Amino acid sequence: MNSGAGIVDYIKGQAAWIERELERSIPAEWSMPSALREAMLYSLMAGGKRLRPILVLASAEALGGNSEDALPVALAVEMIHTYSLIHDDLPAMDNDDFRRGKPTSHKVFGEAMAILAGDALLTHAFYSVVQSARQRDVAGDIIADIVEELARLSGAPGMVGGQAADMQGEQGVTKLEELEYIHLHKTSDLVVFSVKAGGRIAGASREQLAALERFGTCLGLAFQIQDDILDLTGDEVKLGKPVQSDVKQQKVTYPYFIGLEASQAKVEELTREAREAIETAGFPAPERLLELADYLMKRDH
Amino acid sequence: MNSGAGIVDYIKGQAAWIERELERSIPAEWSMPSALREAMLYSLMAGGKRLRPILVLASAEALGGNSEDALPVALAVEMIHTYSLIHDDLPAMDNDDFRRGKPTSHKVFGEAMAILAGDALLTHAFYSVVQSARQRDVAGDIIADIVEELARLSGAPGMVGGQAADMQGEQGVTKLEELEYIHLHKTSDLVVFSVKAGGRIAGASREQLAALERFGTCLGLAFQIQDDILDLTGDEVKLGKPVQSDVKQQKVTYPYFIGLEASQAKVEELTREAREAIETAGFPAPERLLELADYLMKRDH
């Protein structure tokens, strides 16, 4: 897709494709209460960077694979990300009324339906993974591997564990290592899943999967530190949300521990490390993955 | 297991096996916040009939299969059932402080951790399904089928959809068909999954899977109507919960619509239909499945 375009156009094109497919990802013939379907689609279609599904597709392309084979897995990772936002926004969790300028799910549909829409999206992600076998003939053994990785990296030892640590940390994260644990699991784990799953579908070797894992870990951490930095220095209009919210909510961040300059240097170092992992692993078409890493480092929103 | 014993001993033996395995179903080497692991295990080990996992194992046995091959799937279905109870009990849903005489998850761990423990168990169910391939060499294609069925029957078109209809129905279920929709999805769908998945692992034919589907649908509905009946006529001590709670909560039930006697007749008819589906489909060892259907019809708790 868009192989000659610049990275910004590439991202736009892939995001548009992903959004078209997300919109029809819940089979029309499935009977369910209409409010549940609406709540699922409301959050799925509420915008966002679509970073994780784009990484799934770019990783498959880096291996010379067909990104259509990886599309159901790309949709799955966006469903997981979306459910995690719905549940994070609940009154018992972060109690947010708005996300990206829109009322959060529980403000629109009520708390009970928001909980259920999150549960339904989480569950539907695993349905979507299997569609890579149904629609594109990906082998059952590869599907089983991807299901196992998704469950691990988005579950208790992964994203949910990071979120649980974050909730507990609100009573006081006092060490950089604790913050890093939260960032690695809350953010990096799903990025790691994304690039490895895209690679797995495109036939990555064991060494290439290890390179993708290092790439995803560094990129996910860089992304989260950049988020911390933008919350301090960013433009409210570009970000689409109030700045300095971390300070106001007394959330500790990377800049809080090591300062702004050292945080910026860390983002650059992690991006370099991410690039290096890919550059030395002999991928046939790594350009988009490398460009995405640079793009994320330089982003202002 | 226990092939010569009576059905009560069989149930006890299988439930004890399932509980031993549930207790070690979250890998000890996984790092996660200790409160998250505690909350997951607290609800997993809080008792209950273990009906769904027992049906997975009995169904594999009915096909002449090895129930150990089906064990990871049996654990998975109990994880799904357990997460659904944790989320159902939340203040925004049924707001229950006790279940089976024990404080509910959010009363012990707080609402945020209860939501996350539910999310983690839901996710972990899919990890567990894949362990049938890792530990017992079940083929990847069968795993992919089971993942797809579990996601469908426990997701928006299945159990979560039934729960959403139930939440909405509290504003007034006025027809028996609406109540049946709720029962079929909230309860039967996971029973259907259980018997079909057990059969699938043991190599059931298409016709045998159809028979198991009919068996599960009838059995699940009979089970739920029997629950409604016991809430009216049961013994509080045997049930371990207050009776007439449906009346007090103004929940409509089968007896509300068609009366107690017709409801009892319906349970018997559904049980007969369930048995018939199995008896006519040529299973090599159907005894335990048939005995389970009779046992459930006659239960007093």
Side-chain angles (χ1 to χ4, degrees):
Chain A
M1 298 273 300
N2 305 309
S3 62
I7 186 67
V8 173
D9 286 338
Y10 172 82
I11 290 172
K12 269 192 202 159
Q14 298 294 73
W17 181 32
I18 288 158
E19 292 188 358
R20 281 196 306 277
E21 298 292 333
L22 280 175
E23 197 151 24
R24 57 195 201 88
S25 62
I26 304 167
E29 67 276 16
W30 279 1
S31 117
M32 68 184 77
S34 58
L36 179 61
R37 188 186 288 268
E38 274 172 47
M40 291 170 77
L41 284 170
Y42 176 82
S43 295
L44 267 185
M45 304 312 295
K49 301 181 185 67
R50 313 300 186 187
L51 168 66
R52 294 159 190 79
I54 290 174
L55 283 170
V56 175
L57 303 175
S59 180
E61 291 167 15
L63 268 299
N66 183 338
S67 55
E68 295 201 18
D69 295 350
L71 183 69
V73 175
L75 304 182
V77 77
E78 192 67 3
M79 291 170 195
I80 294 284
H81 177 56
T82 303
Y83 112 74
S84 78
L85 300 181
I86 297 174
H87 282 188
D88 282 9
D89 288 336
L90 287 167
M93 308 273 272
D94 288 348
N95 194 21
D96 280 317
D97 291 353
F98 288 92
R99 178 173 289 275
R100 301 186 193 114
K102 287 185 180 177
T104 45
S105 181
H106 63 274
K107 296 306 282 183
V108 180
F109 300 97
E111 264 185 77
M113 195 56 79
I115 294 167
L116 292 171
D119 293 343
L121 285 170
L122 195 182
T123 309
H124 196 49
F126 289 95
Y127 183 89
S128 191
V129 167
V130 179
Q131 303 317 305
S132 276
R134 296 287 172 266
Q135 298 160 14
R136 310 288 309 179
D137 231 12
V138 175
D141 287 342
I142 293 178
I143 299 294
D145 284 354
I146 291 175
V147 166
E148 188 177 40
E149 284 255 294
L150 182 57
R152 192 170 55 81
L153 289 168
S154 74
M159 188 186 72
V160 174
Q163 177 64 12
D166 196 15
M167 298 297 310
Q168 294 186 302
E170 284 172 12
Q171 284 104 52
V173 171
T174 56
K175 290 189 204 127
L176 183 60
E177 295 78 59
E178 289 168 15
L179 181 66
E180 209 161 82
Y181 179 93
I182 294 169
H183 281 358
L184 279 175
H185 292 292
K186 225 182 130 167
T187 306
S188 291
D189 278 350
L190 214 48
V191 173
V192 168
F193 169 79
S194 300
V195 292
K196 282 182 76 182
R200 188 81 180 81
I201 282 188
S205 67
R206 192 179 290 266
E207 291 71 29
Q208 288 168 327
L209 288 174
L212 288 167
E213 176 150 353
R214 199 170 134 224
F215 176 81
T217 305
C218 293
L219 195 73
L221 191 53
F223 180 84
Q224 190 57 56
I225 299 172
Q226 183 74 344
D227 247 23
D228 288 355
I229 294 170
L230 287 171
D231 187 73
L232 277 176
T233 66
D235 181 316
E236 294 208 354
V237 177
K238 284 183 185 158
L239 287 172
K241 63 179 177 186
V243 296
Q244 310 225 330
S245 65
D246 292 334
V247 180
K248 284 171 204 146
Q249 290 176 37
Q250 298 188 292
K251 277 208 167 184
V252 296
T253 62
Y254 246 79
Y256 168 89
F257 281 115
I258 63 171
L260 196 56
E261 238 172 88
S263 296
Q264 278 160 336
K266 181 85 181 171
V267 170
E268 286 168 34
E269 182 200 318
L270 285 165
T271 305
R272 212 162 33 238
E273 201 183 326
R275 289 188 58 111
E276 223 177 72
I278 299 298
E279 283 163 346
T280 55
F283 286 77
E287 296 76 19
R288 289 308 188 195
L289 271 188
L290 298 174
E291 286 170 24
L292 280 166
D294 285 335
Y295 170 84
L296 289 173
M297 181 178 68
K298 292 176 190 148
R299 76 198 163 98
D300 59 6
H301 65 284
Chain B
M1 300 276 297
N2 306 310
S3 61
I7 187 66
V8 174
D9 286 339
Y10 172 82
I11 290 172
K12 269 193 202 158
Q14 298 295 71
W17 181 30
I18 288 158
E19 292 188 359
R20 280 196 307 275
E21 297 293 333
L22 280 174
E23 195 152 24
R24 57 194 202 90
S25 62
I26 304 166
E29 66 275 18
W30 278 1
S31 116
M32 69 183 75
S34 57
L36 179 61
R37 187 186 289 268
E38 273 171 48
M40 291 170 78
L41 285 170
Y42 176 81
S43 295
L44 269 185
M45 305 311 296
K49 300 181 186 65
R50 312 302 187 187
L51 168 67
R52 294 159 190 79
I54 290 173
L55 283 169
V56 175
L57 303 176
S59 179
E61 291 166 15
L63 267 301
N66 183 337
S67 55
E68 295 202 15
D69 294 351
L71 182 70
V73 175
L75 303 181
V77 77
E78 190 68 2
M79 290 171 197
I80 294 284
H81 177 59
T82 303
Y83 111 75
S84 78
L85 300 181
I86 296 176
H87 282 189
D88 282 8
D89 288 336
L90 286 168
M93 307 272 275
D94 289 347
N95 194 21
D96 280 318
D97 291 352
F98 289 91
R99 179 172 289 275
R100 302 188 193 111
K102 287 185 181 178
T104 45
S105 181
H106 63 274
K107 296 306 281 185
V108 179
F109 300 98
E111 263 185 78
M113 196 56 78
I115 294 168
L116 292 171
D119 294 344
L121 285 171
L122 195 182
T123 309
H124 197 49
F126 289 95
Y127 183 88
S128 191
V129 167
V130 179
Q131 304 317 303
S132 277
R134 296 288 171 266
Q135 298 159 14
R136 310 288 310 179
D137 232 13
V138 175
D141 288 340
I142 292 178
I143 298 295
D145 284 354
I146 292 175
V147 165
E148 189 177 39
E149 284 255 295
L150 181 57
R152 191 169 56 79
L153 290 168
S154 74
M159 186 187 71
V160 174
Q163 176 64 11
D166 195 18
M167 298 297 311
Q168 294 185 303
E170 285 173 12
Q171 284 103 55
V173 171
T174 56
K175 292 188 203 127
L176 183 61
E177 295 79 61
E178 290 168 17
L179 181 66
E180 209 161 82
Y181 179 92
I182 293 169
H183 281 357
L184 277 176
H185 291 293
K186 227 183 128 166
T187 306
S188 290
D189 278 351
L190 214 49
V191 173
V192 168
F193 169 79
S194 300
V195 291
K196 282 182 74 181
R200 187 82 181 79
I201 282 188
S205 68
R206 192 178 292 266
E207 292 69 31
Q208 287 169 327
L209 289 174
L212 287 167
E213 177 151 352
R214 200 170 133 227
F215 176 80
T217 306
C218 295
L219 196 71
L221 191 53
F223 180 83
Q224 190 58 56
I225 299 172
Q226 182 74 345
D227 247 22
D228 288 355
I229 294 170
L230 287 172
D231 187 73
L232 278 176
T233 65
D235 180 314
E236 295 209 354
V237 177
K238 282 183 187 159
L239 287 171
K241 62 180 178 184
V243 295
Q244 309 225 334
S245 65
D246 293 335
V247 181
K248 284 171 205 148
Q249 292 175 40
Q250 299 188 292
K251 279 207 164 181
V252 295
T253 62
Y254 245 79
Y256 169 90
F257 280 115
I258 63 172
L260 196 56
E261 236 171 90
S263 297
Q264 279 160 336
K266 180 86 180 168
V267 170
E268 284 168 33
E269 182 200 319
L270 285 164
T271 305
R272 210 162 34 236
E273 201 182 325
R275 288 188 58 110
E276 221 177 75
I278 298 298
E279 283 163 346
T280 56
F283 287 77
E287 297 76 19
R288 289 308 188 193
L289 271 188
L290 299 174
E291 287 170 22
L292 280 166
D294 285 336
Y295 171 82
L296 289 172
M297 179 178 70
K298 292 177 192 149
R299 76 197 162 100
D300 58 6
H301 65 283

